[in-house]
Amino acid sequence: MMNLNVGVIRKIPVPLVLLCAFFTFLPDFLDDYETFYIDDMAWFTLLFPCFIFSYYLGLYGGVFTGIILNAYHLSWFFYEKKFHSEDMVDESAALHIGISVITLSCSIGVGVLTEKLQHKQLKIQELNEKLMQMALYDSLTGLPNRHYFLRKLEHSLRKKKQVCLMFIDLDGFKRVNDQYGHEAGDQVLIEVSRKLKELEDEDVFVSRLGGDEFTVLLKGMNIHQAQAQANRLLHLLQVSVNDCRISASIGIAACQPDDTPATILKNADSAMYKAKLAGKNAVYVV
């Protein structure tokens, strides 16, 4: 089944398309003017448009182009022979048929090589995406990791916009790991991450720092809006594993003009520990 991607056609530069048209009609033009006449080998100029279209459109596009060009070429050639009452089958006919076979073969060859190249490029792109996923995202939860978070935080601070940071630590998580094993603990982390992802939008960036620590970066929110969001999170992050109840302690820090990613993260972390000292399952603002 022919699978031409029309979107790819637009990627062929217009000057190349015009040049292909020029080389397609050049032999016919030269044959009409004896002053510029060259022999039948001029039809090898059809190789140029075959190469170009095969490169940009792949195998099917190349074959289609080769068939159209050669149909035009042979139709013109035999029409001229009939018009001049010449023998239809002679050495020049064999030459032109040979030229058609060569140009069509080149179209197929370049098309096959192009598709193989595109396949390899897609493989490389997939590998790069996997490497990017591994470099910037947590493998267990799928949330952005610490490295990605710090990059995002630094970028937000450079914009000099209002930024608040939540630092979240789960209460009772160690007990789940100790009593029911790390698989149960991983399921808790996955469930908590799923709930945090519900908050994500263009102004909310959720990440997992490591262990049972998470951050939520809030752009364009003041400290009161961030606190209201955190209070809703306290109810959202209630998780039970048999007799173990998981809750969250949340520290909030608002970005100051001279803050760096390290200082605002430290402030939010300190606020989280104060929430734990206050009895856990609480929000503390600095």
Side-chain angles (χ1 to χ4, degrees), residues 7-272:
V8 178
I9 297 175
R10 299 192 187 100
K11 294 182 181 179
I12 303 177
V14 173
L16 279 182
V17 175
L18 296 176
L19 198 56
C20 287
F22 170 76
F23 278 113
T24 298
F25 297 108
L26 179 63
D28 189 8
F29 171 81
L30 292 174
D31 197 34
D32 288 338
Y33 294 89
E34 292 185 358
T35 306
F36 303 101
Y37 179 76
I38 58 176
D39 61 25
D40 292 337
M41 301 300 285
W43 285 99
F44 274 112
T45 58
L46 291 179
L47 285 170
F48 182 83
C50 286
F51 284 151
I52 294 301
F53 277 80
S54 296
Y55 176 77
Y56 281 96
L57 302 182
L59 176 60
Y60 292 120
V63 171
F64 181 76
T65 303
I67 291 173
I68 294 297
L69 291 178
N70 284 309
Y72 160 72
H73 161 211
L74 292 176
S75 296
W76 174 89
F77 172 71
F78 285 110
Y79 170 79
E80 286 289 305
K81 290 183 77 66
K82 184 177 181 181
F83 182 79
H84 292 98
S85 300
E86 298 176 2
D87 291 336
M88 299 298 287
V89 179
D90 57 13
E91 290 183 0
S92 63
L95 174 62
H96 280 264
I97 292 172
I99 291 173
S100 295
V101 171
I102 291 171
T103 53
L104 186 58
S105 299
C106 289
S107 296
I108 294 171
V110 174
V112 169
L113 290 175
T114 297
E115 293 201 346
K116 286 185 176 180
L117 177 62
Q118 290 175 344
H119 180 70
K120 291 193 177 197
Q121 288 174 335
L122 286 174
K123 285 289 185 184
I124 292 172
Q125 184 178 346
E126 289 175 4
L127 288 173
N128 285 335
E129 288 174 356
K130 287 181 180 178
L131 289 173
M132 184 68 70
Q133 185 78 15
M134 292 171 62
L136 299 179
Y137 290 85
D138 175 57
S139 59
L140 175 65
T141 63
L143 288 176
N145 60 19
R146 185 186 188 93
H147 176 73
Y148 194 2
F149 159 71
L150 290 174
R151 181 194 295 186
K152 195 78 171 180
L153 178 59
E154 184 177 9
H155 178 72
S156 298
L157 294 178
R158 278 203 304 266
K159 286 190 170 182
K160 303 296 183 182
K161 291 185 177 180
Q162 194 170 37
V163 175
C164 290
L165 177 63
M166 288 188 205
F167 196 109
I168 303 170
D169 187 270
L170 300 182
D171 307 319
F173 180 74
K174 185 176 182 300
R175 186 183 169 197
V176 172
N177 274 339
D178 291 343
Q179 289 191 8
Y180 300 104
H182 289 284
E183 286 190 10
D186 288 347
Q187 289 304 312
V188 170
L189 294 175
I190 292 170
E191 177 64 15
V192 168
S193 299
R194 184 188 64 77
K195 292 183 177 182
L196 288 174
K197 284 178 184 177
E198 296 176 5
L199 302 176
E200 286 184 323
D201 59 33
E202 60 181 9
D203 294 322
V204 179
F205 184 80
V206 179
S207 63
R208 180 191 178 198
L209 287 190
D212 60 336
E213 295 177 338
F214 300 85
T215 56
V216 179
L217 186 62
L218 304 166
K219 293 178 286 184
M221 290 191 189
N222 59 37
I223 198 70
H224 301 293
Q225 292 171 318
Q227 187 172 6
Q229 186 82 287
N231 285 326
R232 286 194 293 272
L233 269 180
L234 288 182
H235 300 287
L236 188 64
L237 298 182
Q238 302 288 327
V239 180
S240 295
V241 180
N242 295 329
D243 60 332
C244 297
R245 294 188 60 80
I246 304 294
S247 60
S249 294
I250 304 175
I252 304 176
C255 174
Q256 303 303 319
D258 57 344
D259 273 342
T260 65
T263 56
I264 190 171
L265 184 60
K266 181 180 178 181
N267 291 339
D269 188 22
S270 298
M272 182 274 297

